[in-house]
Amino acid sequence: MKRIVVFALLAVCGFSIPARIPFSWLLAEDSKRRLAVDFIVGGYLLSEGGDWKAAESPLRGPFGIDFDSSGTMYIVELSSGRLHKRPARGELKTLRKSHDKGYSGDGGHVSRAEFNGPHNCVVSADDHLLIADSWNHCVRSVDLKTLRTETLAGTGASGFFGDGGSAGPARFNYIMCIELSPDRKTLHIADLKNRRIRNMNLQTGKVQTVAGNGSKAVPKDGGSAGKSPLVDPRAVASDGSGNLYILERSGNALRVVRPDGAIYTVAGTGRKGFRDGDALQARFGSPKHICCDPGGNVYIADDVNKAIRKYDPKTGRVSTVLGRGFGDPKITLERPHGVRWHDGRLYVVDTGHNRILRILPR
């Protein structure tokens, strides 16, 4: 930022900026401005100049977070099956302790329910915690008033069945991530091994495929999303304009289904790597999860690159928000997974360091 100011002053005074210094370099320097970072769980690591020890964290491999109407945060852990809550002002409390992987407990208290890979979570408008129970091939629901657990979608068996009908008897195959539409009326489901994105109408209970035909390939730009192949739809999110974003991990790309049903690749070359700039020339490293902010920007947890990236649909560019020296140059991320926009802030689940961070993006 200081260098940009210096060059601006030189220009005002009549001096020319040397041609060998490209404007893109100036933007890259500006993009490394320090951001304010809060630690919700954790702190700076010893290697970052702090005293945080990841091994002593109350969390063990956190994967997904969301918030209820009171601002309480809920956290799911993939491997242990544990569920936690953290009030806006209060201490972390464990709702479900570590347990053997299983599928049981519907109709009872969440403390006795068994999960098999709770991958991420969202909180519905009526304060139910919805969990992508990945290896049980279903979506579980926890009433946050009574803590009663039920299955919302799926039977626990893998398969592909039920489009056009009720989500209860429908079959899925590895539900990796779920997300709510901005109006919270639709649940987006990333049905990974079926290579489809399916929507569940939370008012009618009906489920329908909106992207993917089950085949594995890169979709052609402008094609009908429902008739197009996908590589591996890992995560999904939608914005306030009706755009549905699909993140593909081994595809190393971000795709969008426009409101008219046409699908396009909007970021990523498909090749693994790290590159900011023009979105269609950008590179990702096995990205895992996404969320949208109210302005339509898409934030990407870029696993192997140990970074949080941002796709700006207005400029068509990808930038790095945190990690690799960006945002806060002291912070290093390890297998970042969950990203969540809430109340004007971006929350980051730094899975490998068992901590949760909060930042105010530019």
Side-chain angles (χ1 to χ4, degrees), residues 286-336:
S286 299
K288 281 187 172 181
H289 193 234
I290 55 175
C291 70
C292 296
D293 70 16
N297 298 299
V298 183
Y299 297 92
I300 302 164
D302 196 3
D303 180 15
V304 173
N305 283 324
K306 304 181 180 183
I308 304 301
R309 318 284 293 281
K310 173 185 171 183
Y311 165 66
D312 184 338
K314 297 182 180 67
T315 64
R317 298 183 69 81
V318 168
S319 59
T320 300
V321 175
L322 187 67
R324 301 177 69 100
F326 291 84
D328 183 332
K330 292 198 300 182
I331 290 177
T332 57
L333 302 176
E334 184 65 32
R335 294 183 290 111

Side-chain angles (χ1 to χ4, degrees), residues 12-152:
V12 169
C13 294
F15 294 96
S16 61
I17 297 175
R20 66 178 180 276
I21 302 178
F23 186 63
S24 61
W25 177 82
L26 301 179
L27 289 176
E29 288 295 307
D30 185 49
S31 71
K32 288 198 174 186
R33 290 182 308 197
R34 187 181 179 93
L35 298 177
V37 178
D38 297 325
F39 293 94
I40 306 305
V41 177
Y44 286 110
L45 298 164
L46 295 172
S47 61
E48 298 166 341
D51 57 6
W52 175 249
K53 298 178 181 179
E56 297 177 4
S57 173
L59 303 178
R60 292 289 183 273
F63 255 60
I65 61 171
D66 202 6
F67 298 81
D68 68 14
S69 57
S70 72
T72 295
M73 175 192 290
Y74 293 86
I75 307 162
V76 298
E77 297 180 356
L78 179 74
S79 297
S80 71
R82 295 196 303 172
L83 311 179
H84 310 276
K85 65 182 289 187
R86 184 187 181 278
R89 293 180 178 83
E91 299 297 322
L92 190 75
K93 178 182 179 181
T94 299
L95 298 177
R96 179 56 171 117
K97 295 179 180 180
S98 180
H99 59 279
D100 292 336
K101 296 177 174 63
Y103 178 45
S104 67
D106 279 1
H109 196 275
V110 69
S111 63
R112 297 185 295 275
E114 290 183 341
F115 301 91
N116 189 359
H119 199 272
N120 83 312
C121 62
V122 296
V123 178
S124 65
D126 59 353
D127 276 348
H128 281 69
L129 180 68
L130 309 183
I131 301 168
D133 196 358
S134 296
W135 301 314
N136 281 329
H137 315 290
C138 64
V139 178
R140 310 289 286 280
S141 174
V142 180
D143 185 327
L144 294 177
K145 297 181 180 66
T146 65
L147 297 183
R148 178 186 173 94
T149 305
E150 300 287 356
T151 296
L152 181 70

Side-chain angles (χ1 to χ4, degrees), residues 186-205:
T186 301
L187 183 69
H188 307 306
I189 301 172
D191 193 359
L192 178 66
K193 289 198 172 182
N194 282 324
R195 296 192 178 91
R196 291 175 168 93
I197 300 297
R198 301 168 80 180
N199 278 353
M200 177 184 175
N201 185 315
L202 292 178
Q203 296 176 315
T204 66

Side-chain angles (χ1 to χ4, degrees), residues 251-253 265 267-273 275 278-284:
N252 290 294
T265 298
T269 64
R271 297 179 62 187
K272 186 182 291 186
R275 180 190 293 160
D278 178 81
L280 290 175
Q281 297 303 314
R283 289 192 181 181
F284 301 100

